Amino acid sequence: CIRDRDREKSGDPMFKTVSIASERNVRSPSDVDNISLYQLGQPLDFDPGSVYQSSNFGYALWGRVIEQASGQSYGDYVKQEILKPLKMKDTQLGRTRQALKLPQEVTYYNLNDQTGKSIFPEDEGKEVTWPYGVWTVEVMDSHGGWVSTAPDLVRFGLSFSQKRHPILSKQTVQTLFECPDCSNWRTENGDPKDYWYGCGWLIRPVKDGGANIWHGGRLAGTSTILVGRHDGFVWAILFNQGVNSKEEALSGLIDSAMHRAVDQVRDWPRTDLFSRFSDEN
């Protein structure tokens, strides 16, 4: 919960790549290094450790920490240490411009086909739809820059939901799910609230033990959610449009319906799903 920036107050720098490039006198859109240097010169929004705020930039910095610690690029490290062991063969870092989309990658749609000026020199002055150049996914590598499939994300979710954890130790997983000490997630008595945000996962304990874990996300042209339930069920839902006509996130609308549907299943085939995924060639 040590966050010194409040994106609701001072804005999210990951979506300010044009203005930061201008400030830094570099080519637009600015890269993560220039965003980081820019942020170093900005004042704190609050004392570190006093308040929790979600921070895309914080996760961008973690990507750079991984690079320094491993001696590899962030993308190569994730491929070697996470994607390969989990057999996530259809997960890659994404590109923003439509001309560079990956083979078999979907087309992203924006409500009312809203457009804006492309921030990329290759499309300078061109009107593009929001998912394809009004902001850049390349700088978002370690906080949302991956393109994946529902089966691959289920493989990832299962790695946290099984009794054995193939990429992290049991102790590390427990640390990920612990309730932070910051006041956002605790009562006045210091007890955990009904749910909290751990290290990258939202956690809701259940009465019979265990917990439901989930994480959702939304960008222009996407709305997604990955869920791992206390009873072992894991699902991933990916939309290639972010919101409906009422500006409601599609992943939020389907979430409770998915839980109700799974609750109705009384005779579900039981199998060691992770073992099946791991044994694939």
Side-chain angles (χ1 to χ4, degrees):
C1 57
I2 301 177
R3 309 289 195 207
D4 56 12
R5 303 294 292 169
D6 181 351
R7 65 184 183 183
E8 298 299 323
K9 178 179 180 181
S10 55
D12 188 339
M14 311 313 293
F15 290 91
K16 298 166 65 175
T17 55
V18 173
S19 60
I20 290 175
S22 178
E23 181 81 15
R24 296 279 305 157
N25 195 28
V26 296
R27 180 179 176 178
S28 177
S30 53
D31 58 19
V32 177
D33 289 342
N34 276 290
I35 293 173
S36 300
L37 290 170
Y38 171 82
Q39 286 295 100
L40 285 174
Q42 304 307 303
L44 301 180
D45 290 334
F46 48 81
D47 292 335
S50 62
V51 177
Y52 168 89
Q53 290 292 340
S54 180
S55 172
N56 286 328
F57 175 65
Y59 281 95
L61 286 183
W62 276 120
R64 314 297 64 85
V65 170
I66 289 171
E67 291 179 333
Q68 289 295 314
S70 68
Q72 299 176 267
S73 70
Y74 165 75
D76 286 344
Y77 180 84
V78 171
K79 288 177 183 177
Q80 175 181 308
E81 300 296 330
I82 298 176
L83 304 186
K84 185 176 180 180
L86 297 183
K87 306 297 183 184
M88 296 173 63
K89 300 178 181 179
D90 296 316
T91 301
Q92 301 178 56
L93 284 170
R95 304 293 297 274
T96 308
R97 298 171 60 236
Q98 192 165 18
L100 300 177
K101 79 174 187 175
L102 298 167
Q104 299 183 325
E105 185 177 0
V106 301
T107 298
Y108 303 110
Y109 295 96
N110 196 50
L111 188 65
N112 300 324
D113 294 324
Q114 185 179 5
T115 64
K117 297 289 185 181
S118 174
I119 64 175
F120 289 86
E122 297 89 340
D123 299 323
E124 186 174 2
K126 182 180 178 181
E127 285 282 328
V128 294
T129 57
W130 275 80
Y132 289 112
V134 180
W135 47 271
T136 167
V137 75
E138 281 85 348
V139 299
M140 300 180 182
D141 56 2
S142 54
H143 75 80
W146 292 90
V147 176
S148 191
T149 64
D152 265 11
L153 288 176
V154 168
R155 290 178 172 91
F156 181 73
L158 281 167
S159 73
F160 294 93
S161 298
Q162 302 296 298
K163 292 181 179 179
R164 56 192 179 90
H165 306 286
I167 57 175
L168 297 173
S169 69
K170 182 178 180 180
Q171 182 178 1
T172 298
V173 173
Q174 289 176 340
T175 300
L176 293 180
F177 295 164
E178 287 177 355
C179 182
D181 290 332
C182 33
S183 60
N184 304 61
W185 305 115
R186 292 185 177 270
T187 65
E188 293 182 357
N189 296 327
D191 297 324
K193 294 183 178 179
D194 291 341
Y195 74 97
W196 59 81
Y197 190 83
C199 296
W201 290 97
L202 282 155
I203 318 296
R204 186 188 299 276
V206 298
K207 294 180 180 179
D208 297 332
N212 293 335
I213 65 174
W214 74 97
H215 197 289
R218 194 182 100 194
L219 291 170
T222 67
S223 182
T224 63
I225 189 167
L226 174 61
V227 176
R229 294 217 318 188
H230 65 283
D231 53 9
F233 289 102
V234 176
W235 61 80
I237 300 175
L238 313 177
F239 291 99
N240 59 338
Q241 181 170 309
V243 298
N244 64 10
S245 59
K246 297 179 180 179
E247 299 287 338
E248 298 169 315
L250 300 181
S251 58
L253 294 175
I254 202 171
D255 184 38
S256 59
M258 278 296 301
H259 280 280
R260 291 195 300 270
V262 172
D263 287 340
Q264 294 301 311
V265 179
R266 296 290 179 262
D267 188 23
W268 197 282
R270 307 303 297 182
T271 183
D272 186 348
L273 291 176
F274 189 80
S275 178
R276 286 177 57 195
F277 290 148
S278 298
D279 292 340
E280 288 178 355
N281 295 323

